[in-house]
Amino acid sequence: MDETPTELMLKGYGLTTAELFYRMPDYRNVLNTFVWQEYDLAPDHPRLFRFIEFWQDEIEGPLHSVRFTHRKMISAGEWRQVVGEFHYH
């Protein structure tokens, strides 16, 4: 069973967004982009590199470059259970 994004974030995962620039198979002078987003572990980024390997093995458009960013949304120390909530006004 897949883990929820919250469970992954509590285990140290962060949201990794990658923009892949690749050449069109029939028009090698034309660059196109593909955006990939997944929860991944920094600094090794195993899921991102596994996707890049998949791209190189299975997709006809050769990669030109990859630009990515990683954002750790929460950490275990920042998570706390809230029992109630009060609204004023």
Side-chain angles (χ1 to χ4, degrees), residues 45-71:
H45 301 287
R47 291 183 178 187
L48 173 60
F49 287 109
R50 191 168 41 243
F51 179 75
I52 291 172
E53 288 174 7
F54 166 79
W55 185 289
Q56 291 173 333
D57 293 341
E58 302 294 330
I59 306 295
E60 287 185 29
L63 286 175
H64 174 270
S65 59
V66 177
R67 180 171 59 176
F68 71 95
T69 185
H70 179 83
R71 173 78 170 116

Side-chain angles (χ1 to χ4, degrees), residues 9-12 72 74-80:
M9 286 187 283
L10 290 173
K11 291 181 178 181
K72 192 170 182 180
I74 61 172
S75 66
E78 296 172 353
W79 180 263
R80 63 187 174 100

Side-chain angles (χ1 to χ4, degrees), residues 6-52:
T6 303
E7 292 171 329
L8 289 172
M9 286 187 283
L10 290 173
K11 291 181 178 181
Y13 284 74
L15 188 62
T16 300
T17 304
E19 185 176 20
L20 292 87
F21 295 87
Y22 64 96
R23 297 191 184 278
M24 298 294 289
D26 296 335
Y27 303 97
R28 295 297 172 125
N29 294 329
V30 177
L31 283 178
N32 204 354
T33 61
F34 179 83
V35 176
W36 175 89
Q37 198 170 51
E38 185 69 52
Y39 287 94
D40 207 353
L41 286 170
D44 295 331
H45 301 287
R47 291 183 178 187
L48 173 60
F49 287 109
R50 191 168 41 243
F51 179 75
I52 291 172

